[in-house]
Amino acid sequence: MSTENRAQTEADLIVRRYSVSGRVQGVGFRWFVHREAAALGLRGWVRNTPSGTVELVAAGSLADLAKLRMALEQGSRGSRVDRVEENALAASEADTLGVFTIEGAW
C-alpha cells in the first residue's frame, strides 16, 4: 500500500464507543467481540466494567462498524444482549488504538 493510500485509509477511520448490557460478563462475550473485531480488521479494545456491562472502542470503516454492531446485538452463545449503546468519538481517537485487544484478560 502506498503512503498516500495508507494516509487515506487512516483518514477514513471512524471511531465508535459501545456499551453492551445484559448477561455479557462471564459468558465469553469479550472473546466473542475480540474474534469478530479482529476478523473485520478493526482496531481498538474491549473490557468488562464494574457495573456489569461490556465496553468497547473500535475504529474502522463505516461498513465494518455496522457489521460489528450487528454481531454485538446478536451476542455470543450463552450471552443475552439487552441493549447496545453507540457513541461517535473523534477520528483522532484512532491514533491511540492498535490491534484489537481484550483489556483485563489473563
Side-chain angles (χ1 to χ4, degrees):
M1 179 181 291
S2 74
T3 305
E4 183 177 313
N5 288 342
R6 175 183 244 170
Q8 181 65 30
T9 300
E10 294 290 322
D12 291 340
L13 286 178
I14 296 170
V15 185
R16 297 286 188 262
R17 176 184 302 273
Y18 301 91
S19 179
V20 185
S21 57
R23 192 175 78 199
V24 292
Q25 289 192 8
V27 293
F29 193 80
R30 289 178 303 155
W31 300 96
F32 164 77
V33 172
H34 178 266
R35 185 187 72 224
E36 296 294 320
L40 292 167
L42 300 176
R43 293 167 31 186
W45 51 263
V46 60
R47 66 180 172 208
N48 287 340
T49 68
S51 66
T53 64
V54 169
E55 173 184 42
L56 61 136
V57 171
S61 71
L62 188 57
D64 287 339
L65 291 173
K67 291 174 188 174
L68 177 65
R69 171 76 189 237
M70 287 176 30
L72 294 175
E73 290 172 347
Q74 178 182 352
S76 62
R77 176 180 292 169
S79 70
R80 185 193 74 244
V81 175
D82 294 336
R83 188 163 120 174
V84 177
E85 294 180 35
E86 179 178 343
N87 296 295
L89 298 179
S92 61
E93 294 287 330
D95 296 341
T96 65
L97 302 174
V99 63
F100 206 90
T101 60
I102 300 172
E103 292 191 351
W106 310 249

